[in-house]
Amino acid sequence: MELETLLSRISDNTSIFDTYGASHFPIYQSGTFDLKKQSGENKYDYSRSGNPTRSVLEEIFAKAESGVNCVCTNTGVAAIALLFETVLKTGDNVLTEIDLYGGTNRILNIISEKYAISSSRVDLTNFEEVETLLKMGSYKLVFCESPTNPGMKMVDIMELSNLCKKYSVLLAVDNSLATFASQKPLELGADFSVFSATKFISGHGATISGAVINKDSRWTEQLRYLANAEGRTQSPFEVFLLTLGLPTLVVRMKQQEATALSIAGYLSSSDKVKKVSFPFLPDHPRYDLAKRQMKICPAVMTIDLYSEAHAEQFIQRLKLFGEKASFGNYDSRAEQPSKISHASYTEEQLRVVGITKSTVRLSIGLESLSDLLADIQRVLDSLV
C-alpha cells in the first residue's frame, strides 16, 4: 500500500476496531478503563500505559516507517531521550554527527554528566574517519540526522548502516526533517528511526510529539516499559490533533518542496546572500545522494548573509516569516540557529558546525510563492 493511501485511511489500517465506523478515529479521552467491560487481547487499564487512540497512531507510524513497533512520546526530545535510555548504559559511548540538533546535544551533555555515557562528534560523511573510530570497538550506538539541522548535510544512511553492521554497532537516525514521506531509515539499514512529529508530520503547529520506531522486536518491550515507567507517552488528545495532519502530509511536503526550491534558487542568485544550503539545489555537495535517498526534499534551508546585522535585519523586516522555533508547519519561519535551535552550543561548537551569527534558517510554508519571493526581495533590497 502506498503511503498516501495508508495515511488517508487510518481507521482501515489498524487492529483497533471502532464500533461506529467513525471516519476519523475517535479520541478515547479517559484516564482509566474498566477491564470487565473489555474483550479480546488488547485490554487497557491506564492511559499512560496504553490508550486505544495512541495505539492507532503507533501502528500507523510503525507501518509508515517499515518497523515492528512504535512508541509515541509527548515531545520529540522525549523520543530521543527514551532511545538513549533504552539502548545505553553507564560507560557506553555514542558516535554522532558534528552537525547535531541542539536538543540532542543538550541530552547528550546531561547523560554524560549523570551517567558517564560519553559521546564523540565526527563528520559522518567521512567514512574513513568513521571506520577508524568504529574499529576501536568502544561504541554502542551511532546517532545521526540526514539531512542535518541546520547545516543541511546529507549522510549516506545505507553506507553508514553497512559500516555499523560490520562492527556490531547500532544505528539510529533522526528522521524529523525528511520524515517517512521522503525516506525510510529502517529500509536503508538503520536499527531505529526517531523523529519529532511536531514538525512536518503534524504540519499545523498545534501540538508537540515524538516517536521511536524499532526494526528488531527485541527492543519493543524495553522501549514500552521505559516509556510507561517514566511517563513519556503521548496523551490521547495530542494524538488526535496530530492525526489531523497525516492525510495531507505528502501533498503538503510536495507543495512546500516546490516553493522552497524556487526560493533557494532565487537566494543563490542574490549578491546579498553569501551561501545557500538546500539539498535539492544542484550545487549542493551531496546533491546526487539527496536525490537518490529522498523522494521529497524538506522545505528547510540555511542561508549565510554577510554580517550578523544583516541576518538580524533580514529576519526582523520579513513580514511573512515569523521568528519562530521549529519547522515544517504551514507557515513560513526564519530564525538564527545560534540564538534558538542551537542555543545550547558553545561558540567553539558553533564554529566547528559552520553556524555563525550571520546564519539564518528558513522554513518554507504553504503561502503563495509570489508573495514569499516579493517579501524576501523587498528585504534583501533594503540591506545596505
Side-chain angles (χ1 to χ4, degrees):
M1 180 183 294
E2 295 295 329
L3 181 63
E4 292 92 331
T5 306
L6 174 69
L7 300 181
S8 294
R9 306 189 67 83
I10 293 174
S11 296
D12 297 339
N13 289 288
T14 174
S15 63
I16 310 299
F17 177 71
D18 171 45
T19 306
Y20 298 101
S23 297
H24 197 95
F25 198 82
I27 311 173
Y28 284 84
Q29 188 63 44
S30 178
T32 57
F33 301 86
D34 190 337
L35 293 171
K36 293 191 295 183
K37 295 180 179 179
Q38 299 178 59
S39 60
E41 295 182 2
N42 292 328
K43 290 192 175 183
Y44 299 90
D45 58 359
Y46 194 66
S47 274
R48 170 167 49 80
S49 306
N51 180 283
T53 311
R54 189 167 65 246
S55 293
V56 167
L57 184 59
E58 289 173 339
E59 287 187 18
I60 294 298
F61 278 169
K63 290 179 179 179
E65 284 271 14
S66 300
V68 298
N69 168 71
C70 168
V71 174
C72 287
T73 57
N74 43 26
T75 68
V77 292
I80 295 170
L82 175 62
L83 171 69
F84 289 162
E85 290 162 352
T86 300
V87 170
L88 304 171
K89 63 181 185 302
T90 299
D92 280 342
N93 300 313
V94 185
L95 186 63
T96 72
E97 163 60 39
I98 295 171
D99 186 6
L100 192 68
Y101 166 56
T104 308
N105 179 65
R106 193 179 294 114
I107 295 171
L108 289 170
N109 290 340
I110 291 170
I111 63 176
S112 173
E113 294 173 5
K114 288 194 170 185
Y115 308 113
I117 294 171
S118 64
S119 61
S120 303
R121 311 295 169 89
V122 67
D123 178 3
L124 289 179
T125 68
N126 185 339
F127 288 130
E128 287 186 10
E129 188 175 0
V130 172
E131 184 161 21
T132 297
L133 290 169
L134 294 184
K135 276 181 181 177
M136 297 166 57
S138 61
Y139 291 98
K140 179 68 174 291
L141 174 71
V142 172
F143 186 90
C144 79
E145 305 167 20
S146 186
T148 62
N149 170 32
M152 300 298 128
K153 287 172 64 176
M154 290 297 304
V155 176
D156 191 326
I157 297 172
M158 184 174 289
E159 287 299 315
L160 183 59
S161 72
N162 289 337
L163 265 183
C164 289
K165 287 179 175 64
K166 182 178 179 180
Y167 295 100
S168 301
V169 177
L170 294 167
L171 173 62
V173 176
D174 184 337
N175 205 26
S176 298
L177 254 174
T179 81
F180 47 73
S182 176
Q183 69 184 15
K184 300 188 179 186
L186 303 187
E187 292 185 358
L188 295 171
D191 298 286
F192 301 93
S193 181
V194 58
F195 55 78
S196 167
T198 308
K199 301 169 174 64
F200 283 108
I201 291 174
S202 165
H204 48 64
T207 183
I208 56 174
S209 64
V212 185
I213 298 92
N214 51 296
K215 182 166 62 178
D216 190 330
S217 59
R218 70 189 173 106
W219 297 106
T220 298
E221 185 176 346
Q222 291 170 267
L223 283 166
R224 291 194 166 279
Y225 176 80
L226 277 178
N228 176 43
E230 297 179 343
R232 295 196 184 278
T233 52
Q234 192 175 18
S235 75
F237 185 67
E238 296 289 326
V239 169
F240 174 77
L241 290 176
L242 176 59
T243 59
L244 295 176
L246 289 181
T248 61
L249 171 63
V250 176
V251 174
R252 283 187 284 107
M253 287 194 68
K254 286 181 177 179
Q255 177 61 46
Q256 287 169 290
E257 175 201 62
T259 304
L261 187 57
S262 295
I263 289 173
Y266 171 76
L267 289 168
S268 296
S269 67
S270 172
D271 59 5
K272 300 291 180 69
V273 178
K274 186 176 181 180
K275 179 184 176 183
V276 179
S277 295
F278 185 66
F280 273 19
L281 274 182
D283 64 356
H284 188 279
R286 309 208 87 188
Y287 170 76
D288 291 339
L289 171 62
K291 295 292 287 187
R292 184 174 74 250
Q293 189 164 277
M294 298 192 297
K295 291 182 178 179
I296 307 169
C297 190
V300 180
M301 68 191 73
T302 300
I303 66 172
D304 284 296
L305 299 171
Y306 283 95
S307 68
E308 179 182 1
H310 274 190
E312 292 177 349
Q313 291 166 12
F314 180 74
I315 291 172
Q316 295 304 317
R317 293 174 186 177
L318 287 168
K319 293 181 178 179
L320 297 180
F321 291 75
E323 187 179 11
K324 303 177 184 179
S326 198
F327 54 81
N329 285 280
Y330 58 82
D331 60 327
S332 294
R333 302 169 178 215
E335 68 153 72
Q336 286 175 278
S338 61
K339 291 184 177 181
I340 300 182
S341 63
H342 287 64
S344 66
Y345 274 51
T346 65
E347 288 277 349
E348 176 60 18
Q349 285 176 319
L350 289 172
R351 185 192 67 77
V352 172
V353 173
I355 300 173
T356 71
K357 292 182 179 180
S358 63
T359 301
V360 174
R361 188 185 71 188
L362 298 177
S363 174
I364 309 303
L366 292 170
E367 300 93 342
S368 160
L369 170 60
S370 60
D371 288 338
L372 292 176
L373 280 176
D375 194 28
I376 291 171
Q377 182 176 9
R378 175 186 55 80
V379 175
L380 289 177
D381 288 345
S382 74
L383 300 180
V384 293

